[in-house]
Structure formats: structure tokens, C-alpha cells
Amino acid sequence: MQDNEFEYVGFWPRVGATIIDVIIIMIITVPLLVAIYGKSYFFADETPLIAGWADFLISWVFPAVATILFWLHKQATPGKMAISARVVDAQTGNSLTVGQSIGRYFGYVIAMLPLFLGIIWVAFDPRKQGWHDKLAGTVVIRLKNRGPIPVKFGS
């Protein structure tokens, strides 16, 4: 793998990837939560942060474990795969370690706390790293020329 083959993935493609991931997680978790807690789970006036053990497992543990496993085994979540991006170690370009994956996941909390500033940071950072990337020592990359053939206009 040569450095000049890749580019850092910026803010908007990563937002798109996140939207894809959230939709997939919701397709899995919402029916389970409705089956266990009923529709009132989503419409109650005073919904607790965690409604019970099943809620904790479905809403908090499952997404964390799934995301970390995707990073470890595929270098990307389904959303990142859809945009041909990979999450790699910032120093070597290799797959993440278990520690990096866990640190990156929980680094999202730190990145989101001050009005999502650590996420928005991706838009302005030269290596397109959010605070979660910086904390875990990761970057999100993809091939520069992803199409089957280069675009040519004219004759």
C-alpha cells in the first residue's frame, strides 16, 4: 500500500456513511424494542435513558459491539464500505487493534459532548481526523481514483 494511492475522507462523505449506519442499526433495533416494550417505548412522556436490561443490550451494547467488530474485521462499518472508506491506524495504515477500536468508539462521546465540535473538527483538520480519531490514533482513508476508468471529456 503506497501513501499516494489514498486520500483522507472528509466530513460530508463521513456524514453520509454515518446516516447509512444509523439506518441499518435502526432497522435492527427498533423492531426488537417495539416487540419487547411496545410502541409506547418511543412515545412515552417521560422515557428513561435506559428502560431495562433488554433496552441496554439492544440500544447500547449491540451497536458498540457491532461497530467495533466491523472495524476489526472489515476496517469499516457498512456505511464506510458504501463510500469505499476504511478506518486504519494513522501511523502504519494497518487494521485497528482492539484497544484502538474501543477507544475510537468511546471517543465519539468526547467528540460529541461540546456541541459535536469533535465531529465537526473533521471538516477543518488537514488529515480529516475527528477527536475520536486523534484519541485512538486512526484515520479514515479511501483510494483516490475509485472508478473503473478515469473520466475523459472531448474526443
Side-chain angles (χ1 to χ4, degrees), residues 14 104 122 128-140:
R14 289 172 70 169
R104 186 173 195 271
V122 171
K128 303 302 178 192
Q129 289 177 295
W131 292 356
H132 55 290
D133 291 309
K134 291 184 179 295
L135 288 167
T138 63
V139 290
V140 179

Side-chain angles (χ1 to χ4, degrees), residues 104-126:
R104 186 173 195 271
Y105 190 85
F106 289 105
Y108 278 119
V109 175
I110 295 166
M112 289 189 278
L113 281 179
L115 303 173
F116 289 83
L117 183 60
I119 304 294
I120 295 167
W121 199 265
V122 171
F124 305 103
D125 188 82

